Amino acid sequence: MSTDNSESVPGSGDAAVQAAAERAKLTRHRNVPQFDDMPIPADTANLREGPELNDALLALLPLVGVWRGEGEVVYPTLDKTHKFGQQLTFAHDGRPFLYYESRAWLLDDDGNVIRPAAREVGWWRPQPDDTIELLLTHATGIVEIFYGKPRTQTSWELATDAVVRTATAKEVLGAKRLYGLVNNGDLAYVEERAMVGQELQPHTSAYLTRIVG
């Protein structure tokens, strides 16, 4: 096939650039809420605005932004597969770490919102040897430390090294996560969990599109 037709080939380099350009028309002027009177650099989820991205974060650069979409949660302790909506935020303030936030909401079979669901906040801390430290706190009383590395320039895999929980939190023994950019720039992830007496196995997955950045 000639290179003259490459722009029409799904997944080709030209197609990826064109798809990114089209998305950027809608997302390039959006950012996380800002406080103009802050005496220090504000967080930014838009690489076109705010402080320069620290060189230590280059391996995580594709993640910077706000992503929103839907996913599924499954586990032997659940009566069925449940659908959820989710928004992920990856932002920075010029220092060598990313601020991370996840907010989710349960959906019924028709896609209507039932109620708010899981929340997470944390910090992605890349190290000089390409190791990624992820500190993650859940609203359910669980704190996890993940370690991982980039698998490629657009995918990242992490697994728990330590899990701490409050007296009222459910038992969690470990977790693994794989994040990756797919289909010319969307974000997908899968998570496995070992908890409440069950071995490590698939728990959640989601497909998200960029809404900021």
Side-chain angles (χ1 to χ4, degrees):
M1 181 176 295
S2 71
T3 55
D4 291 341
N5 295 325
S6 63
E7 63 181 5
S8 64
V9 179
S12 71
D14 288 346
V17 171
Q18 290 176 0
E22 287 301 313
R23 285 193 300 271
K25 291 178 181 179
L26 302 175
T27 65
R28 66 184 303 145
H29 301 299
R30 304 185 72 184
N31 206 342
V32 291
Q34 305 287 316
F35 291 94
D36 295 334
D37 58 350
M38 283 281 286
I40 56 176
D43 288 343
T44 179
N46 188 328
L47 294 173
R48 302 174 182 86
E49 301 178 2
E52 292 291 323
L53 187 75
N54 193 286
D55 287 346
L57 295 177
L58 291 178
L60 300 177
L61 181 152
L63 289 171
V64 176
V66 180
W67 309 80
R68 189 181 296 165
E70 295 184 3
E72 293 185 342
V73 55
V74 299
Y75 215 64
T77 56
L78 298 176
D79 58 345
K80 66 173 185 176
T81 298
H82 293 273
K83 296 169 57 178
F84 64 90
Q86 187 174 33
Q87 178 172 294
L88 300 184
T89 300
F90 294 87
H92 75 97
D93 65 1
R95 290 182 287 176
F97 54 81
L98 289 183
Y99 166 73
Y100 166 84
E101 180 182 19
S102 168
R103 300 193 67 173
W105 47 96
L106 285 180
L107 301 172
D108 64 20
D109 292 338
D110 296 320
N112 300 309
V113 177
I114 299 173
R115 61 172 175 82
R119 295 192 67 168
E120 306 170 346
V121 294
W123 311 94
W124 291 59
R125 294 163 32 89
Q127 301 302 310
D129 65 352
D130 288 336
T131 298
I132 301 169
E133 300 175 354
L134 170 58
L135 287 72
L136 201 59
T137 301
H138 302 256
T140 52
I142 298 164
V143 178
E144 298 167 329
I145 298 176
F146 288 76
Y147 281 91
K149 286 194 173 185
R151 292 183 60 180
T152 67
Q153 291 184 341
T154 56
S155 63
W156 306 264
E157 188 171 23
L158 307 105
T160 49
D161 178 71
V163 180
V164 180
R165 61 190 179 98
T166 66
T168 57
K170 64 185 177 184
E171 178 191 48
V172 175
L173 300 178
K176 289 184 177 180
R177 292 188 178 186
L178 174 62
Y179 296 83
L181 298 192
V182 297
N183 296 336
N184 296 331
D186 294 329
L187 178 63
Y189 76 87
V190 293
E191 182 195 57
E192 298 179 356
R193 281 197 168 266
M195 58 185 182
V196 291
Q198 303 291 324
E199 63 183 13
L200 189 71
Q201 59 191 288
H203 179 48
T204 57
S205 61
Y207 186 97
L208 314 167
T209 58
R210 181 184 293 278
I211 64 168
V212 169

